[in-house]
Structure formats: C-alpha cells, structure tokens
C-alpha cells in the first residue's frame, strides 16, 4: 500500500452521565431490567412533550471548551427521520445545521510526537432503544431503557492518516470525557461508540477519495482493525479498476471484516427540520464562563506537569495520564510519599497498571525502599503478600516475616568471607580481570540471606575483600 494514503474521520458518540434522560425524567442507567426506565416521552405516547435536560447542555459545553470549540449561544434541535423498531417516534431528536459547538481541535500523543486534528462539530442528540435478536430464535425484542439517553456526537475533520492515529485520537477523546466526568468511558457497555469514515487516495493527490462509513465499533482494537481492513479493501478495489461505493458498512468482530449494510443515505433522506416541540437552545449569560472556570486539569496539561514538575519521562507521563483512575491513584500515592519516579515505576512496571493495592499501601511500600528498610527485590515479596492479604500494612508484613534489610556490617563481612572461600575459582577469575563474576558473588550473598542483604553494603564489602 505504498503509494496510497489512508484518510480517516471519526464520528464519536459519547453517552452522558446525567441522572435522567435528555428529554424525560426517566432514569438514565445501564444494565437494568429491560423496559423499566421508560417514560411516556421515551416511547412517544401521544400528547407528550420533551423537556430539555440542562445538565446535558452543561456537559456539551464542558467538552466543547476542553476541545477549544466555538460555543454557539444559540443552537437548534432538529428531527432526523427514519424508521426502526427501537425508535418509536419515527425520528431522533438531534442537532443539524445549528449544533451547540463548532470548530475545535483535539491533540494527542503519537509515536511521532504530538498531533493535532480538527474537530468539525459537537452536537447533542438522543440515543435510540436497543433491538435484541435472540440467537437461533425466531423473534426479536426491544429494550427502550436506552431510548432518550443523552449523547454527544463529536465529529472530527478527515485529518487522521492511519489506523494507529485514529486509535490514539479515540483514546485521547476517551481520556478527555472521563477527566471531565461527563461519560464513564466504558466501551464494552457502549458508553462510547465510534463510526469510522475511511477513504484512500494516491499520495500527493489533493482530492479526497470516496469514503465509506464503518459502524458498530465498540472497542479501540476493533476501530483499528476496521480501518486497516477497509483501507486495504479500497486499495484493492482501485487497483482492480473499480470505483468505491459510498456506503455504510458493518464491522463483524468475529470474522474481522466488514460488509456493506446499505448505500450511504444522504442528509435529505432524513427529512431534517427544526423540532417544533423545542425552542431554540439559548445559553444563559455567563453560563459558558462559569463552566470554563470549573474545568479540571486535562490529560495533556497533566502530562506536561508530570514531565516538567515531577521529572517523569514522556513515556511514563503518557501512560499515567491516559486513564483518569490511574492518574488519580498515582497522585494519591504521591501525596503520601513524594518520590514520583519510584511510584510511577511501581505502577507501570511492577503493577502493570493493575491497581490491586491501595495508594496508601503503595506509598508505604516505596517509602520502605527509600528508607532502606527493605530492598527493591524484597519489596516484590511484600507486594505479593499484600495481594494475598488485602487489608494489611507493608510495614507489618516486613515485621511479621522478618524481611528487613540486613545491614549489620559484621554479619555481612562474615558472609563475604564465606562466599569467597566457597568459590575460590570464581575469585581467581575475578582477580584475573573477569568482571562479570562479581555479580555472581553478590548473587550468592543475596541467596544466603534470601535477598535481605543490603546490596550497597554487600557490594562495598565484597570489593574491599577482593581488592585486598
Ligand atoms: P455524515 O456521515 O453524517 O454524512 P459528514 O459528511 O459531515 O457526515 O462526514 C462525517 C465524517 O466523515 C467526518 O468525520 C469527516 O471528517 C469524515 N469524512 C468526510 N469526507 C471524508 C473522506 N473523503 N475520507 C474520510 N473521511 C471523510
Ligand atoms: Mg455519519
């Protein structure tokens, strides 16, 4: 695929963490018994009227500000018409030509440094219900719990140039909405869903190629796979002399391929018009300003601070800030023991980002190493004990198991002597210039003390002994 370039634009749906739905008082919650969180408005009983949830508006402004978007003081809700059993009204309330947020940008880390793409718009819309098809059965069901759930749709410009970049951008957006606490970012439960618009063009060409839109991408991995698949398919089509159909495709994660769902609908197919049941949305004086003042520290700001103020490298800072809960955990431990590098190292390398002990336990563990009460090796033993006994304190484990570092010079001296007597051949090799043997001898001292000998002290004593 050398002479072709991949072009991707994403449409990302973000489910908002409001208590109630976008236009009804029904509870907005995932995982309840089907059809229990349903109000007359959600199933379009005659005579009902929608009432806008102001929290959803605030959340849209929050995200708009975080993405540097223009915030429109007036926006308009429109009806988007289509028929589907999960859409009882026969139309979805969305925003069309006057969305709440206009142009903005999204920045994110890539392997080649920071990349910034354009955001075309953000609009507010309601979700549909969910059709449930029973495997092997001959009937389908509809669950209206999701009907009317508030969503933000974030539309990017076609600025992404690879599957990898699209995945990074989506990760960054996920980090942003969770930091803003407007969405739980749970991809498995569908709290975020992406449609990938993909086209290819010959490198150097200015005109964009015909695009397709792949739907049903509920994980970052699938998003990447779908873009890889689709760009390959398009190149093969073009190379075979065929044109690309502008169509909507559906990703099949089992077969790792997409297939055409329908030819792309045009905006006029939806018969958009302003919803006569809803007034244009006008923001209150000072509403945007107030939200701006309450924005939290955002992922990229945190990343910068971790590097500049805490001295972490770009990689570690990036890993710690991608998930809000990891960053929160890191900061909670740091508040108790201020060794940022060691705490970061533990979270990333020893714990593999798997938060299984409390921040207080981690802080104490690192402090024990820093105070030279235990060695780094023994700390791993203490950590394993903490996993087995979740409530316990690292210092109690060290005490109970006798894991304190052995620093008594006299005792260590004796160990040095006995190890050197036991391995005379190795000692000779070392004296003849074979430096690597030194590590072996230290290792023997560690072995005899079950890893508890003070490695610095043992090294010094061994050097002295061999030097004399
Ligand atoms: P819709 O899908 O509703 O028709 P738009 O026409 O605004 O909406 O486009 C939606 C998405 O498609 C945007 O994310 C945009 O960046 C992307 N897009 C538009 N043209 C192309 C193209 N030629 N190649 C890849 N992505 C594209
Ligand atoms: Mg679309």
């Amino acid at each position: 695929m050398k002479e072709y370039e991949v072009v991707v634009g994403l449409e990302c749906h973000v489910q908002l963490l409001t208590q109630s739905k976008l236009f009804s008082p029904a509870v907005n919650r995932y995982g309840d018994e089907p059809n229990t969180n349903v109000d007359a408005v959600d199933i379009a009983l005659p005579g009902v009227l929608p009432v806008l949830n102001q929290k959803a508006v605030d959340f849209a402004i929050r995200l708009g500000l975080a993405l540097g978007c223009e915030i429109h003081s007036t926006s308009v809700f429109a009806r988007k018409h289509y028929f589907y059993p999960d859409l009882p009204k026969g139309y979805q309330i969305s925003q069309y030509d006057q969305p709440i947020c206009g142009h903005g940008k999204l920045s994110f880390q890539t392997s080649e440094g920071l990349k910034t793409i354009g955001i075309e718009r953000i609009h507010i819309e309601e979700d549909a219900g969910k059709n449930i098809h029973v495997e092997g059965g001959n009937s389908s069901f509809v669950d209206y719990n999701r009907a009317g759930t508030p969503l933000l749709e974030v539309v990017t410009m076609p600025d992404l140039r690879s599957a990898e970049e699209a995945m990074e951008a989506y990760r960054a957006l996920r980090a942003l909405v969770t930091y803003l606490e407007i969405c739980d970012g749970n991809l498995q439960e569908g709290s975020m869903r992406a449609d990938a618009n993909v086209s290819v063009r010959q490198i150097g060409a200015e005109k964009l190629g015909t695009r397709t839109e792949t739907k049903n991408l509920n994980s970052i991995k699938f998003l990447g796979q779908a873009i890889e698949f689709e760009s390959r398919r398009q190149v093969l089509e073009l190379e075979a002399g065929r044109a690309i159909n502008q169509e909507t495709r559906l990703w099949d994660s089992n077969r790792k391929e997409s297939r055409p769902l329908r030819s792309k609908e045009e905006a006029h197919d939806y018969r958009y018009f302003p919803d006569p049941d809803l007034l244009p949305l006008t923001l209150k004086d000072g509403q945007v300003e107030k939200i701006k003042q309450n924005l939290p520290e955002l992922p990229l700001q945190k990343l910068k601070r971790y590097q500049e103020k805490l001295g972490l490298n770009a990689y570690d800072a990036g890993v710690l800030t991608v998930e809000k809960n990891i960053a929160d955990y890191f900061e909670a431990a740091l508040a108790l023991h201020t060794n940022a590098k060691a705490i970061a190292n533990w979270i990333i390398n020893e714990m593999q980002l798997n938060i299984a002990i409390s921040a207080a336990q981690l802080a104490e563990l690192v402090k024990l190493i820093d105070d030279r009460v235990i060695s780094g090796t023994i700390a791993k033993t203490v950590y394993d004990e903490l996993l087995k006994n979740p409530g316990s304190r690292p210092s109690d484990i060290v005490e109970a198991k006798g894991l304190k570092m052995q620093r008594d010079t006299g005792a260590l001296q004796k160990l040095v002597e006995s190890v050197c007597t036991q391995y005379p051949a190795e000692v000779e090799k070392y004296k003849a210039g074979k430096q690597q043997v030194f590590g072996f001898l230290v290792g023997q001292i560690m072995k005899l003390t079950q890893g508890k000998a003070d490695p610095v002290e043992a090294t010094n004593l061994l050097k002295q002994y061999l030097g004399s």
Side-chain angles (χ1 to χ4, degrees):
M1 288 193 26
K2 274 226 180 65
E3 62 270 42
Y4 285 91
E5 173 179 57
V6 181
V7 175
V8 181
L10 299 176
E11 291 164 272
C12 312
H13 295 90
V14 176
Q15 238 173 35
L16 297 179
L17 282 172
T18 55
Q19 305 244 299
S20 58
K21 294 195 181 173
L22 187 54
F23 298 111
S24 92
V27 170
N28 170 29
R29 191 168 49 218
Y30 176 87
D32 286 1
E33 270 292 294
N35 298 309
T36 49
N37 301 329
V38 180
D39 180 84
V41 168
D42 307 321
I43 47 168
L45 294 189
V48 295
L49 285 172
V51 176
L52 179 62
N53 184 335
Q54 291 298 329
K55 196 83 191 177
V57 177
D58 285 349
F59 283 0
I61 297 171
R62 242 168 123 73
L63 183 58
L65 288 170
L67 289 171
C69 292
E70 302 155 7
I71 313 290
H72 300 148
S73 52
T74 302
S75 60
V76 172
F77 286 102
R79 292 184 176 182
K80 178 181 181 178
H81 296 82
Y82 64 90
F83 172 80
Y84 216 55
D86 62 12
L87 189 78
K89 286 198 298 292
Y91 61 85
Q92 174 193 28
I93 305 178
S94 182
Q95 295 187 307
Y96 180 50
D97 50 358
Q98 288 178 263
I100 184 159
C101 301
H103 290 159
K105 40 189 192 293
L106 171 67
S107 298
F108 51 95
Q109 284 296 111
T110 71
S111 48
E112 278 133 50
L114 202 68
K115 160 128 187 167
T116 300
I117 61 162
I119 297 294
E120 189 181 307
R121 59 189 271 152
I122 305 174
H123 64 252
I124 305 173
E125 64 184 24
E126 59 178 347
D127 209 342
K130 207 174 187 170
N131 294 326
I132 299 160
H133 311 290
V134 180
E135 195 92 29
N138 56 6
S139 50
S140 289
F141 300 86
V142 193
D143 176 7
Y144 289 113
N145 281 353
R146 201 178 67 181
T149 293
L151 297 180
L152 296 181
E153 180 171 328
V154 182
V155 183
T156 80
M157 304 289 240
D159 290 347
L160 296 157
R161 290 292 173 268
S162 66
E164 197 56 46
E165 259 183 29
M167 291 162 80
E168 293 297 350
Y170 197 51
R171 254 186 219 116
L173 182 67
R174 177 164 178 264
L176 206 55
V177 299
T178 51
Y179 272 61
L180 292 167
E181 296 180 329
I182 64 174
C183 172
D184 64 19
N186 190 329
L187 302 179
Q188 257 167 4
E189 294 180 357
S191 301
M192 279 181 77
R193 299 176 318 253
D195 301 340
N197 294 273
V198 178
S199 66
V200 297
R201 65 177 169 189
Q202 291 207 332
I203 285 180
E206 256 185 54
K207 202 164 162 283
L208 290 178
T210 303
R211 76 182 143 122
T212 63
E213 178 177 344
T214 305
K215 289 193 173 289
N216 199 24
L217 304 171
N218 58 1
S219 87
I220 294 175
K221 190 172 95 185
F222 296 161
L223 173 67
Q225 288 176 342
I227 294 169
E228 292 279 359
F229 173 88
E230 182 56 13
S231 49
R232 280 214 184 90
R233 189 191 68 83
Q234 289 185 11
V235 169
L236 290 176
E237 288 292 293
L238 293 173
E239 288 291 301
R242 288 188 289 266
I244 306 300
N245 287 330
Q246 187 168 333
E247 63 194 7
T248 302
R249 303 178 65 88
L250 191 71
W251 180 247
D252 181 334
S253 56
N254 293 322
R255 303 171 70 118
K256 293 198 176 55
E257 61 182 38
S258 63
R259 54 176 180 275
L261 187 67
R262 53 178 184 251
S263 67
K264 172 84 180 134
E265 52 294 293
E266 304 284 341
H268 64 249
D269 294 330
Y270 289 122
R271 301 285 188 276
Y272 277 103
F273 64 78
D275 193 317
D277 286 344
L278 289 156
L279 287 170
L281 168 58
T282 311
L283 304 184
K284 292 187 275 293
D285 275 348
Q287 188 175 357
V288 173
E289 204 42 49
K290 198 168 148 208
I291 293 171
K292 197 183 229 165
Q293 274 154 22
N294 288 314
L295 282 183
E297 185 182 35
L298 298 174
L300 281 181
Q301 295 168 328
K302 235 186 228 309
L303 180 96
K304 198 157 172 253
R305 177 167 67 86
Y306 284 7
Q307 286 178 259
E308 289 172 5
K309 298 263 157 62
L310 302 179
L312 298 188
N313 63 40
Y315 176 80
D316 288 359
V319 170
L320 292 176
T321 50
V322 149
E323 301 257 354
K324 181 176 186 289
N325 65 330
I326 303 271
D328 286 348
Y329 179 76
F330 168 69
E331 290 183 27
L334 193 63
L336 299 170
H337 180 63
T338 53
N339 185 343
K341 279 185 191 165
I343 290 172
N345 180 50
W346 261 84
I347 296 174
I348 296 168
N349 299 314
E350 305 300 339
M351 299 165 63
Q352 299 277 313
L353 301 179
N354 183 9
I355 301 178
I357 63 173
S358 73
Q361 286 173 317
L362 175 61
E364 195 189 333
L365 189 60
V366 175
K367 187 173 187 307
L368 288 171
I369 305 169
D370 288 347
D371 292 346
R372 301 188 58 211
V373 175
I374 56 172
S375 67
T377 319
I378 288 297
K380 291 173 196 174
T381 309
V382 178
Y383 178 69
D384 289 338
E385 285 300 315
L386 286 170
L387 295 182
K388 282 184 231 154
N389 309 288
S392 50
R393 292 192 50 170
S395 53
D396 291 342
I397 291 173
V398 169
E399 205 59 53
K401 301 236 156 204
L403 295 174
K404 267 200 186 139
M405 190 138 72
Q406 199 165 311
R407 291 159 71 180
D408 179 84
T409 313
L412 286 176
Q413 183 70 37
K414 285 212 183 86
L415 280 171
V416 166
E417 286 170 22
S418 80
V419 164
C420 289
T421 320
Q422 203 185 336
Y423 295 100
E426 277 71 15
V427 170
E428 280 316 307
K429 273 188 210 157
Y430 176 78
K431 287 187 170 161
K434 216 164 172 245
Q435 300 282 328
Q436 302 96 299
V437 185
F438 192 82
F440 167 81
L441 294 170
V442 174
Q444 293 309 311
I445 298 168
M446 285 300 173
K447 209 166 156 191
L448 286 172
T449 56
Q450 285 101 46
K452 285 181 290 187
D454 178 347
V456 179
E457 190 68 12
T459 302
N460 286 338
L461 292 171
L462 185 63
K463 266 197 190 132
Q464 274 170 29
Y465 185 84
L466 293 173
S468 63

